[in-house]
């Protein structure tokens, strides 16, 4: 493996994660901002994506859904404003840090058998949006629901460190046997198999946030669609969901920190048209956007109107490894090597992204404070300096796979979700593969929710993908590729890989653990070429003048609940 030190794009160990993308419906929101804002109060209108696939925090696997969940629900832990300016924000956004949420404290005990027990003590006065008390039993129900195979949650493995979780997920034990229980209404006890360095961050993750058992048992999967049954425990509550138009949240009067909250309402406009986003921002309909037409980006960034923040994530292509022709690792490697990443970041995306020489991005910690990507180096030369050599090897690999000069290679389709940015990348990839490998690649875009389902079902050949870390640890990028994993969209299966990940999760020796995780990435990218990393993300955004108090966690979460108008 060629060694090359990549620039570290994140200095702090702050994290938040998931799948990245832009929204769905081509119908842009036409309602005037004032239609959903009170005339006297302060209201914020933002855009992250289009129609969400789900509003159930246990079933969500997207960043936009995670942002919403962080306003509507609260876990045992949460993210708070540090008061320190985020690099690249020009003073418009602060950094976030982990703190207590629904819990006011916890005790941690290492047991004689090597397990570790966390005992969380809940705050006084915490309530659901309908006024009922939040209890430890609500967390017990939510955590057991998450690992229950009947829930079919992509993130069930988020709790695989909890005793009995893996057996429950595999259907070998009942969900009731999860070592997460309410000792009493104010005390929640969790026992994990070994000391996990990122466990506190898991306790702030949307999938582990509490949900109401009585509501779900009565309404089933329909509980999220009606504000009267969408009972939450966070700083805001759902008041409106007009599909393909907007989601409106209002301050939750039962939230323990209600008096300090900012906007009366936060409206999430559901749209995926970059032109409409920028137009809405300029007209004042939108206070926050994350995207703009590709042609506008260089000018917006140069003027300082669009800010660029650090982001712990990788934009990549995944292959359907169970279907020909991408069931052959030589074909996957050939397609990976035929990509000119320098051209993509300099000429296509133009937002400060860094070419990816591996899957786990820069900024993810290694043992002893090192950087995982810097330690692992590159699996191929990611820059255009060696592009022709990469392409020559790619053509050789394709010939070895039985397709000399692309002859006999079937027409394959590249799947992406509706977005000018994703379209531009798709067209660049299409041209590179056709020019360098002599193959034919067609393009297919789908709206956000349909795209997610198609990719999850494996009904594709090549698909756009992206992953933002759930916490600052390489396991967040690597355990998702275990056989049968809920986020394993490549449908990859390798017993050797599974075993290495299991070993990494079973050891508390930091050095040995990182050694195993490097071995796992060696198999994933250096041997099996399951994913084709293009670049490491940066986070771009535009925020209206006069709005203060927004803060950000570099796994894609923006927080607007404490924003206010500048004096």
């Amino acid at each position: 493996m060629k060694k090359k030190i990549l620039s570290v794009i994140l200095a702090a160990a702050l994290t938040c994660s998931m799948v990245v993308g832009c929204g769905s419906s081509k119908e842009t929101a036409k309602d005037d901002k004032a239609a959903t804002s009170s005339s006297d109060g302060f209201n914020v209108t933002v855009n992250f994506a289009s129609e969400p696939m789900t509003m159930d925090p246990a079933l969500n696997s997207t960043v936009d859904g995670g942002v919403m969940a962080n306003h509507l629900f609260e876990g045992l832990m949460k993210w708070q404003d540090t008061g320190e300016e985020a690099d690249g924000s020009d003073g418009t956004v602060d950094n976030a840090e982990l703190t207590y949420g629904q819990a006011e404290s916890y005790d941690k005990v290492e047991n004689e058998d090597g397990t570790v027990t966390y005992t969380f003590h809940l705050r006084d006065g915490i309530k659901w949006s309908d006024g009922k008390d939040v209890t430890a039993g609500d967390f017990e129900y939510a955590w057991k629901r998450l690992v229950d195979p009947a829930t079919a949650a992509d993130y069930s493995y988020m709790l695989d460190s909890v005793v009995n979780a893996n057996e429950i997920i595999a259907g070998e034990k009942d969900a009731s046997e999860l070592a997460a229980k309410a000792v009493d209404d104010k005390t929640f006890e969790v026992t994990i198999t070994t000391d996990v360095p990122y466990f506190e961050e898991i306790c702030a993750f949307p999938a582990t946030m509490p949900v109401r058992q009585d509501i779900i048992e009565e309404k089933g999967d329909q509980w999220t669609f009606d504000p009267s049954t969408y009972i939450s425990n966070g700083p805001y509550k759902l008041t409106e969901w007009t599909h393909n138009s907007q989601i409106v949240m209002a301050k939750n009067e039962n939230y323990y920190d209600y008096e300090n909250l900012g906007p009366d309402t936060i409206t999430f406009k559901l749209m995926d048209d970059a032109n409409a986003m920028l137009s809405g921002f300029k007209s004042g309909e939108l206070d926050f956007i994350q995207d703009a037409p590709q042609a506008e980006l260089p000018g917006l960034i140069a003027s300082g109107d669009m800010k660029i923040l650090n982001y712990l994530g990788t934009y990549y292509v995944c292959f359907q490894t169970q279907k020909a022709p991408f069931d052959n690792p030589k074909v996957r490697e050939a397609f990976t090597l035929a990509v000119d990443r320098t051209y993509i970041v300099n000429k296509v995306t133009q937002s400060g992204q860094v070419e990816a020489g591996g899957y786990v991005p820069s900024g993810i910690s290694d043992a002893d404070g090192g950087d995982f990507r810097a330690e692992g180096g590159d699996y191929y030369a990611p820059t255009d300096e060696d592009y022709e050599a990469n392409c020559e090897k790619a053509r050789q690999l394709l010939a070895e796979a039985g397709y000399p000069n692309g002859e006999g290679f079937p027409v394959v389709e590249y799947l992406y979700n509706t977005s000018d940015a994703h379209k531009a990348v798709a067209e660049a990839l299409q041209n590179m593969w056709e020019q360098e490998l002599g193959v034919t690649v067609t393009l297919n875009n789908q709206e956000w929710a349909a795209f997610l389902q198609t990719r999850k079902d494996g009904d594709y050949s090549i698909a756009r993908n992206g992953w933002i870390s759930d916490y600052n640890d390489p396991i967040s990028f690597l355990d998702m590729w275990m056989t049968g994993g809920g986020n394993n969209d490549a449908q990859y299966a390798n017993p050797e890989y599974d075993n290495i990940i299991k070993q990494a999760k079973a050891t508390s020796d930091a050095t040995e653990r990182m050694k195993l995780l490097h071995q796992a990435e060696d198999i994933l990218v250096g041997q099996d070429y399951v994913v084709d990393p293009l670049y490491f993300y940066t986070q771009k955004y535009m925020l209206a003048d006069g709005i203060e108090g927004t803060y950000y966690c570099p796994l894609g979460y923006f927080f607007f609940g404490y924003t206010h108008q500048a004096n």
Side-chain angles (χ1 to χ4, degrees):
M1 194 190 320
K2 180 181 176 183
K3 293 286 183 179
K4 175 188 174 185
I5 303 300
L6 296 175
S7 60
V8 177
I9 61 173
L10 181 66
L14 297 174
T15 44
C16 317
S17 111
M18 300 176 201
V19 177
V20 177
C22 291
S24 59
S25 170
K26 292 183 179 179
E27 176 187 355
T28 59
K30 300 181 178 65
D31 298 324
D32 185 89
K33 181 180 175 182
T36 57
S37 303
S38 67
S39 58
D40 298 324
F42 173 53
N43 305 278
V44 173
T45 303
V46 303
N47 167 250
F48 281 85
S50 53
E51 184 75 6
M53 188 174 180
T54 179
M55 289 290 285
D56 187 329
L59 300 181
N60 173 66
S61 60
T62 66
V63 172
D64 53 288
V67 172
M68 294 183 197
N70 272 297
H71 289 85
L72 292 164
F73 293 87
E74 185 171 284
L76 296 163
M77 309 292 288
K78 68 175 183 179
W79 297 93
Q80 71 174 3
D81 191 345
T82 64
E84 299 176 354
E85 176 182 329
D87 289 343
S89 71
D90 195 25
T92 60
V93 167
D94 287 343
N95 284 319
E97 65 183 357
L98 199 65
T99 189
Y100 292 109
Q102 297 283 281
E104 64 177 6
S105 65
Y106 68 77
D107 304 315
K108 177 182 175 182
V109 176
E110 297 183 10
N111 304 313
E112 291 184 2
D113 61 358
T115 62
V116 176
T117 298
Y118 281 81
T119 303
F120 293 91
H121 306 284
L122 302 188
R123 295 177 184 266
D124 291 330
I126 51 176
K127 294 183 179 294
W128 292 98
S129 54
D130 64 355
K132 292 187 177 180
D133 291 340
V134 176
T135 70
D138 295 321
F139 283 95
E140 178 178 346
Y141 170 73
W143 286 39
K144 290 180 176 178
R145 176 177 179 253
L146 179 61
V147 298
D148 190 336
T151 306
D154 288 348
Y155 267 117
S156 60
Y157 66 87
M158 182 60 65
L159 293 180
D160 64 3
S161 61
V162 181
V163 170
N164 292 334
N166 286 317
E167 292 81 0
I168 295 167
I169 294 169
E172 299 167 0
K173 289 187 176 182
D174 188 78
S176 62
E177 297 182 73
L178 186 73
K181 63 180 182 180
V183 177
D184 53 44
D185 284 351
K186 305 290 291 183
T187 311
F188 182 56
E189 181 183 276
V190 183
T191 300
I192 56 179
T193 55
T194 189
D195 196 4
V196 176
Y198 48 84
F199 185 70
E200 289 87 349
E201 293 180 64
I202 287 177
C203 295
F205 192 72
T208 67
M209 292 172 176
V211 289
R212 277 278 289 276
Q213 181 175 2
D214 58 332
I215 298 292
I216 294 174
E217 289 183 348
E218 178 184 354
K219 298 295 183 179
D221 59 6
Q222 300 298 303
W223 74 277
T224 63
F225 294 108
D226 188 336
S228 68
T229 58
Y230 194 82
I231 307 302
S232 60
N233 72 319
Y236 284 75
K237 61 182 181 180
L238 181 68
T239 59
E240 176 192 336
W241 183 359
T242 303
H243 294 283
N244 297 313
S245 178
Q246 63 186 17
I247 289 172
V248 183
M249 307 172 186
K251 284 195 286 192
N252 176 10
E253 63 274 15
N254 290 304
Y255 185 62
Y256 62 88
D257 199 32
Y258 173 80
E259 296 300 325
N260 292 315
L261 295 178
D264 290 339
T265 64
I266 304 173
T267 299
F268 288 77
K269 291 289 186 179
L270 307 176
M271 54 207 308
D272 63 9
D273 186 321
N275 287 289
M277 294 173 196
L278 183 58
S279 177
F281 184 82
K282 289 181 175 179
S283 70
E285 178 190 6
L286 295 172
D287 297 309
F288 174 96
I289 60 174
Q290 289 185 300
D291 205 0
Q294 284 297 111
E296 301 275 2
L297 289 178
L300 291 171
I301 294 171
S303 68
D305 292 331
M306 179 165 279
K307 316 299 182 185
I308 304 293
L309 301 177
N310 296 324
Y311 207 5
L312 285 181
T314 303
Y315 188 110
Y316 63 96
V317 168
C318 67
F319 304 104
Q320 221 298 16
T321 62
Q322 299 302 312
K323 294 181 180 179
F326 294 105
D327 56 346
N328 186 335
K330 289 187 176 182
V331 173
R332 301 194 294 264
E333 183 177 1
F335 271 65
T336 297
L337 291 175
V339 174
D340 186 345
R341 291 161 179 79
T342 301
Y343 178 85
I344 288 176
V345 300
N346 288 343
K347 302 298 185 181
V348 181
T349 59
Q350 302 183 78
S351 301
Q353 295 90 348
V354 177
E355 304 101 313
Y359 177 54
V360 178
S362 299
I364 295 292
S365 300
D366 204 295
D368 301 322
D371 181 84
F372 189 88
R373 180 76 278 123
E375 293 296 325
D378 296 338
Y379 290 95
Y380 44 80
T383 66
D384 61 2
E385 296 174 3
D386 299 291
Y387 182 52
E388 185 50 46
N390 285 348
C391 290
E392 185 58 38
K393 183 178 180 181
R395 288 187 284 269
Q396 178 183 340
L397 287 163
L398 204 62
E400 292 174 4
Y403 308 105
N405 300 314
E407 297 173 8
F409 197 84
V411 176
V412 294
E413 183 181 87
Y414 179 82
L415 177 70
Y416 67 98
N417 55 292
T418 303
S419 158
D420 287 349
H422 297 323
K423 180 182 180 181
V425 172
E427 290 174 342
L429 291 172
Q430 179 188 43
N431 183 65
M432 292 169 190
W433 288 327
E434 292 185 349
Q435 291 294 318
E436 301 299 337
L437 301 179
V439 301
T440 299
V441 179
T442 61
L443 304 181
N444 178 23
N445 75 288
Q446 296 181 347
E447 56 87 12
W448 182 227
F451 163 78
L452 290 175
Q453 192 62 53
T454 300
R455 193 177 65 190
K456 178 180 174 63
D457 292 342
D459 189 18
Y460 71 93
S461 292
I462 324 170
R464 183 204 77 79
N465 216 323
W467 193 254
I468 310 303
S469 191
D470 300 312
Y471 33 80
N472 194 319
D473 194 281
I475 196 71
S476 181
F477 287 84
L478 298 171
D479 64 354
M480 62 189 285
W481 302 110
M482 293 181 70
T483 302
N487 290 307
N488 184 350
D489 292 332
Q491 301 194 357
Y492 174 59
N494 184 332
E496 180 187 7
Y497 184 86
D498 294 347
N499 184 53
I500 289 174
I501 294 295
K502 289 176 182 177
Q503 289 181 56
K505 291 191 171 190
T507 181
S508 56
D509 184 315
T511 301
E512 176 63 18
R513 183 171 173 273
M514 288 300 169
K515 179 181 177 181
L516 289 165
L517 294 179
H518 280 293
Q519 290 177 16
E521 192 185 31
D522 288 346
I523 294 173
L524 183 76
V525 182
Q527 172 185 301
D528 291 348
Y529 284 85
V530 177
V531 295
D532 177 0
L534 303 187
Y535 56 77
F536 301 139
Y537 276 109
T538 53
Q539 175 65 72
K540 58 184 183 295
Y541 74 95
M542 296 177 71
L543 181 66
D545 292 338
I547 295 180
E548 298 179 345
T550 305
Y551 57 103
Y552 168 74
C553 169
L555 287 182
Y557 296 157
F558 284 87
F559 297 85
F560 303 98
Y562 291 89
T563 56
H564 56 272
Q565 291 177 311
N567 296 325

